[in-house]
Amino acid sequence: MKNKYIDLIEQTFDFPQEEFRVEDNELYFHNIPLMDIIKQYGTPLKISYLPKISQQIQKAKKLFNVAIARSDYQGDYHYCYCTKSSHFSFVLEEVLKNDVHLETSSAFDIFLLETLHEQGLIDKETYIICNGFKRPQYIENIAKLINEEFVNTIPILDNKFELDQLDRNITRKCKIGMRIAAEEEPKFEFYTSRLGIRYNDIIPYYEEKIKNNPKFELKMLHFFINTGIRDSAYYWNELSKCVNLYCQLKHICPELDSLNIGGGFPIKNSLSFDYDYEYMAEEIIAQIKMICDRNNTPEPNIFTEFGSYTVGESGAVLYSIIDQKQQNDRELWDMIDSSFMTTLPDTWALNQRFILLGVNKWDSEYERVFLGGLTCDSEDYYNAEAHANAIFLPKLDNEEPLYIGLFHTGAYQESVGGYGGIQHCLIPAPKHIIIDLDEEGEYTTKLFAKEQSHKSMLRILGY
């Protein structure tokens, strides 16, 4: 009878997979023996596997460049990393090994870029796409970059008032972009994105405020769908509207030459994940080319701003199961040695699913469980996986602890959870290690952050 945990996974999914395999009943993640990591550092533990970041970037660059070649598309492709997905220095250092550009969201992002420039990781030719609603400090910082001859800094107008503020602060000729306020999916509580300028105002605003202003050169039209790049009628309709608007604008604005389609490539959140990246890249390029040809318009350069796609699949969080509680006749609760609200806030804030797997005991029988965190908050739990909204894990015994991992957690969780700050119920932030490969292809580990101490929390709280 096949009732072991490994039997369940192999019968439910196509397993092993590219980044997951099992050896001697223990899980390997990108060929890293996770039990060895746990024995060295303990749990709870956050890990960042840097080579995956470069793999993702190179994959996307290849997808779009191949699509451009196959379609005889005349524009170029530029990969930008969306810094808000993860601002860590080790992430940006890995990202910038790959000849890419950057997208910012706030004033403090610019201070980060200045540090990268001082370290020689970016130069004044790097494209810096400045998104977001811009308060005075953000405007001043963007203007500082432009005035210091960061020649490819492109502030994207999010509203009709930012241009005047930029005009007062910038002292030299400047490239700018405009963001379209896309329509949201029908299921949203509102119809139009709060970000950007509405479709019908783009061309009149250009003619009134930009066309005859010698300081500004409109180079980019920016378009982003909140739900991401998906093969749906909604996405293709919004893309078509955007490209048609680009063509109309290009006919009266010859210097316009770039279309920014934002981010939105998804990341793998289940072992059954199925997304045809190649088809989507080729179809996006083909659709843009077709609409441009129909409007007798030169194809634009394409910019993307991939964030979660870049860094998400590089991360994981490892926990111990420290106890099991039988709360009624049907519900078994496995209690982890940390808090989901502290370490993976999107699990409760957005009902985000991550890949969940046991790390050891793959030869044990499995059982259905719920996972509970250590806080006294009713929302500190995780019970959504691919198995019909249930979680199955190896049964506990007295011989050795059970360890589990949630994978592809590398985007947003640290910033949303307040990394290094005050944690819910004062549950400390866990250790964080960086895993890399040396020249021989052997993995190396480095402690980036110790487990948060009570003294650091009390200091923040003013004690």
Side-chain angles (χ1 to χ4, degrees):
M1 182 176 180
K2 292 191 173 184
N3 59 353
K4 297 181 179 179
Y5 182 67
I6 191 169
D7 299 325
L8 171 71
I9 299 300
E10 289 180 343
Q11 291 170 2
T12 308
F13 306 106
D14 182 13
F15 192 88
Q17 299 187 1
E18 178 185 9
E19 68 272 60
F20 298 108
R21 65 182 175 88
V22 171
E23 188 173 307
D24 295 328
N25 296 309
E26 296 176 355
L27 185 65
Y28 282 59
F29 178 53
H30 296 293
N31 294 318
I32 309 297
L34 293 180
M35 281 305 299
D36 288 356
I37 301 296
I38 289 171
K39 289 172 184 175
Q40 182 176 356
Y41 292 98
T43 63
L45 182 66
K46 282 184 175 274
I47 64 176
S48 296
Y49 178 70
L50 299 187
K52 185 61 179 178
I53 296 171
S54 289
Q55 290 171 17
Q56 292 291 90
I57 294 172
Q58 292 302 323
K59 175 182 174 181
K61 291 176 74 172
K62 181 179 179 181
L63 287 169
F64 277 95
N65 286 321
V66 168
I68 283 171
R70 286 180 176 173
S71 297
D72 194 27
Y73 189 91
Q74 297 305 303
D76 295 324
Y77 172 67
H78 300 284
Y79 189 109
C80 297
Y81 171 60
C82 168
T83 57
K84 66 178 178 285
S85 299
S86 178
H87 290 99
F88 286 113
S89 58
F90 56 82
V91 169
L92 269 297
E93 289 165 9
E94 186 70 25
V95 164
L96 292 169
K97 292 177 182 179
N98 294 278
D99 187 27
V100 299
H101 308 279
L102 298 173
E103 181 259 346
T104 69
S105 306
S106 74
F108 283 19
D109 265 326
I110 308 301
F111 296 123
L112 186 153
L113 297 186
E114 290 175 342
T115 301
L116 293 173
H117 181 253
E118 291 169 4
Q119 295 173 345
L121 294 174
I122 63 172
D123 58 38
K124 293 187 175 183
E125 302 292 323
T126 301
Y127 280 101
I128 300 170
I129 310 301
C130 302
N131 276 314
F133 198 99
K134 300 170 189 66
R135 300 184 68 198
Q137 184 67 65
Y138 196 9
I139 293 283
E140 290 176 20
N141 290 359
I142 292 169
K144 185 171 183 283
L145 286 182
I146 294 169
N147 293 338
E148 292 178 354
E149 299 186 23
F150 284 77
V151 295
N152 286 321
T153 297
I154 305 180
I156 306 297
L157 301 181
D158 189 71
N159 57 65
K160 297 180 180 180
F161 314 110
E162 289 175 356
L163 188 71
D164 290 338
Q165 298 172 57
L166 290 165
D167 202 355
R168 287 193 292 270
N169 286 272
I170 293 170
T171 59
R172 54 188 304 115
K173 192 171 179 65
C174 167
K175 300 173 182 176
I176 61 169
M178 298 176 72
R179 178 164 182 164
I180 300 170
E183 294 183 18
E184 298 288 3
E185 278 192 312
K187 68 179 182 179
F188 269 64
E189 295 178 353
F190 46 88
Y191 295 104
T192 304
S193 172
R194 76 183 191 284
L195 303 167
I197 301 169
R198 65 178 189 166
Y199 278 97
N200 292 342
D201 289 345
I202 295 284
I203 290 178
Y205 185 78
Y206 165 75
E207 292 185 316
E208 178 186 347
K209 299 287 290 185
I210 302 173
K211 185 175 183 179
N212 297 317
N213 189 325
K215 186 181 289 185
F216 296 108
E217 183 180 46
L218 181 63
K219 297 291 286 183
M220 178 179 290
L221 197 61
H222 187 293
F223 153 82
F224 176 64
I225 292 297
N226 188 52
T227 51
I229 296 174
R230 296 189 300 167
D231 187 18
S232 66
Y234 163 67
Y235 179 79
W236 297 121
N237 182 62
E238 288 300 304
L239 178 65
S240 175
K241 286 164 55 181
C242 170
V243 180
N244 276 298
L245 180 59
Y246 174 89
C247 294
Q248 294 175 48
L249 193 54
K250 174 70 173 176
H251 289 161
I252 60 173
C253 178
E255 61 268 26
L256 179 69
D257 63 7
S258 297
L259 179 66
N260 190 327
I261 63 172
F265 260 4
I267 65 171
K268 183 176 178 179
N269 62 3
S270 165
L271 293 180
S272 58
F273 177 80
D274 182 25
Y275 184 87
D276 194 337
Y277 292 98
E278 182 178 0
Y279 162 76
M280 290 302 294
E282 291 191 357
E283 191 64 20
I284 288 169
I285 294 298
Q287 289 288 329
I288 295 171
K289 179 178 175 60
M290 178 186 69
I291 296 169
C292 287
D293 287 348
R294 191 169 62 218
N295 287 277
N296 196 27
T297 304
E299 297 99 326
N301 298 319
I302 303 296
F303 284 72
T304 59
E305 298 168 349
F306 294 140
S308 294
Y309 169 84
T310 305
V311 75
E313 294 187 16
S314 67
V317 190
L318 307 178
Y319 304 106
S320 301
I321 301 300
I322 55 175
D323 203 353
Q324 187 176 80
K325 300 177 71 178
Q326 179 86 48
Q327 295 301 86
N328 56 36
D329 292 340
R330 299 178 58 190
E331 294 177 356
L332 276 176
W333 283 87
D334 280 3
M335 305 299 293
I336 66 170
D337 57 348
S338 186
S339 161
F340 293 110
M341 298 179 79
T342 296
T343 54
L344 292 175
D346 277 352
T347 60
W348 63 269
L350 299 174
N351 294 319
Q352 177 70 43
R353 296 199 309 183
F354 297 101
I355 295 173
L356 168 64
L357 290 169
V359 174
N360 62 337
K361 303 169 79 73
W362 280 63
D363 60 341
S364 298
E365 293 184 17
Y366 63 86
E367 61 187 355
R368 180 178 178 176
V369 299
F370 297 86
L371 289 176
L374 289 178
T375 72
C376 54
D377 195 297
S378 60
E379 296 295 318
D380 194 4
Y381 68 91
Y382 186 79
N383 72 343
E385 240 296 295
H387 312 293
N389 294 320
I391 291 173
F392 294 91
L393 286 173
K395 286 185 176 181
L396 302 184
D397 57 41
N398 295 321
E399 295 179 4
E400 64 172 329
L402 173 63
Y403 300 98
I404 65 171
L406 279 92
F407 299 91
H408 298 177
T409 62
Y412 292 107
Q413 301 314 294
E414 284 72 29
S415 55
V416 175
Y419 192 87
I422 299 306
Q423 310 298 329
H424 188 43
C425 289
L426 299 188
I427 303 296
K431 289 180 183 176
H432 189 167
I433 67 165
I434 301 168
I435 303 179
D436 206 348
L437 298 178
D438 62 21
E439 294 179 356
E440 284 74 41
E442 298 294 324
Y443 78 88
T444 62
T445 65
K446 180 173 71 174
L447 180 65
F448 177 76
K450 297 178 181 178
E451 181 177 271
Q452 196 173 18
S453 70
H454 72 278
K455 289 183 178 179
S456 69
M457 283 201 204
L458 293 177
R459 193 181 307 118
I460 293 171
L461 291 168
Y463 291 97

